[in-house]
Amino acid sequence: MAVQDINRYQNVLSNYNLTLEFVDSKMNEGAALKAFIDAISHPPTKIAVIGPLISQANEYIASISKYWNLIQFQRTSHTERILFNIKANTTDISYNFNLRHIQLPHVHMGYASKDILLSNRKKYPYYYRTSVTEDSHTLARISFIKRFNWKKVAILHAVSSNFPRIAASIQEKFSKANLNVVLVESFHNNPIAVINNVKEKDIRIIVVVGNLHNTSPLFCA
């Protein structure tokens, strides 16, 4: 709808027409990177990217998209990435078209990834997002735990993806807030041992870091 509105109103991008090109990133870092390189290597000139969805693939694209003057947005559903093409109303703009002529910023905008690593301004200087990070959730968790005066907390995290990093960040901030983190453990396919440790230490407040797929065995144990 946004692209349609931009094309409809000539006072927004006069004499240009935006089109969409769909590419499947397959929820995989390597596939996302290859799709990105393939897309920008063929005309017409790309001016923006939406996606990819998962944080790991997003880190790959965010680290290199700035070298092509690409604005990148992050999508919230499925696995596709959308690349914007820009064409003149009469003829296609050549691949060597200098995007600085229309003063596009070197910006990557995300609205799905919560990974704290993407907050690293040195590594991702042009990455911004409208979604809240895990750090923001942690501040809410701290307030919640203190509000009910809970004394002992466990942090359980999946072993894959960026979940160990998120768990470590939560533990650090809990400790700084003087919360008693009694147990920090990872879980995989068989979380029975982790559940037993929680029971032995009589911990009732548990922070779980993971996704729908890898936490299901934990909640059903």
Side-chain angles (χ1 to χ4, degrees), residues 86-105:
I86 185 166
K87 297 191 295 185
N89 286 338
T90 53
T91 58
D92 288 357
I93 297 177
S94 69
Y95 179 68
N96 293 324
F97 177 75
N98 187 347
L99 293 177
R100 293 187 180 86
H101 290 168
I102 55 175
Q103 298 180 336
L104 288 178

Side-chain angles (χ1 to χ4, degrees), residues 8 41 66 83 87 112 157 159 176 180 193:
R8 185 180 301 116
S41 298
K66 58 178 180 272
L83 292 100
K87 297 191 295 185
H157 64 86
V159 297
K176 288 182 179 179
N180 184 20

Side-chain angles (χ1 to χ4, degrees), residues 4-220:
Q4 293 174 357
D5 288 341
I6 291 172
N7 290 334
R8 185 180 301 116
Y9 297 104
Q10 285 300 304
N11 60 328
V12 179
L13 264 179
S14 180
N15 297 321
Y16 292 98
N17 183 63
L18 292 178
T19 60
L20 299 177
E21 179 180 324
F22 292 86
V23 182
D24 189 359
S25 62
K26 305 182 186 299
M27 296 285 285
N28 178 273
E29 302 95 309
L33 186 59
K34 181 180 184 303
F36 174 79
I37 297 296
D38 288 345
I40 62 175
S41 298
H42 299 90
T45 299
K46 311 304 186 298
I47 64 167
V49 180
I50 298 177
L53 175 65
I54 62 174
S55 294
Q56 304 98 299
N58 200 49
E59 292 166 14
Y60 277 63
I61 306 303
S63 64
I64 65 173
S65 60
K66 58 178 180 272
Y67 298 116
W68 283 272
N69 280 8
L70 288 175
I71 308 171
Q72 188 172 354
F73 303 87
Q74 192 166 16
R75 205 176 174 190
T76 56
S77 62
H78 304 299
T79 62
E80 294 127 351
R81 292 188 301 110
I82 301 176
L83 292 100
F84 283 90
N85 302 335
I86 185 166
K87 297 191 295 185
N89 286 338
T90 53
T91 58
D92 288 357
I93 297 177
S94 69
Y95 179 68
N96 293 324
F97 177 75
N98 187 347
L99 293 177
R100 293 187 180 86
H101 290 168
I102 55 175
Q103 298 180 336
L104 288 178
H106 302 217
V107 176
H108 171 178
M109 179 67 72
Y111 57 89
S113 176
K114 300 177 181 180
D115 194 346
I116 56 177
L117 183 64
L118 288 165
S119 298
N120 186 332
R121 305 311 298 164
K122 291 183 178 180
K123 190 171 184 179
Y124 308 108
Y126 306 117
Y127 180 86
Y128 299 89
R129 53 185 157 195
T130 57
S131 59
V132 296
T133 66
E134 281 296 336
D135 283 346
S136 299
H137 289 299
T138 299
L139 294 176
R141 294 181 184 113
I142 291 172
S143 297
F144 203 77
I145 292 170
K146 286 187 173 182
R147 172 67 178 82
F148 290 96
N149 198 29
W150 291 327
K151 301 300 183 181
K152 297 190 296 185
V153 182
I155 301 174
L156 308 181
H157 64 86
V159 297
S160 60
S161 185
N162 58 338
F163 302 124
R165 182 168 61 230
I166 294 173
S169 176
I170 294 173
Q171 180 185 11
E172 179 185 1
K173 287 178 172 53
F174 275 17
S175 298
K176 288 182 179 179
N178 296 318
L179 298 180
N180 184 20
V181 180
V182 179
L183 181 69
V184 179
E185 284 203 23
S186 62
F187 59 87
H188 193 42
N189 294 328
N190 187 5
I192 298 298
V194 176
I195 296 298
N196 289 337
N197 287 339
V198 171
K199 290 180 178 179
E200 289 175 4
K201 297 180 183 299
D202 192 30
I203 306 172
R204 309 300 177 91
I205 309 304
I206 305 170
V207 176
V208 178
V209 183
N211 58 32
L212 176 64
H213 302 291
N214 55 35
T215 57
S216 296
L218 179 73
F219 290 128
C220 296

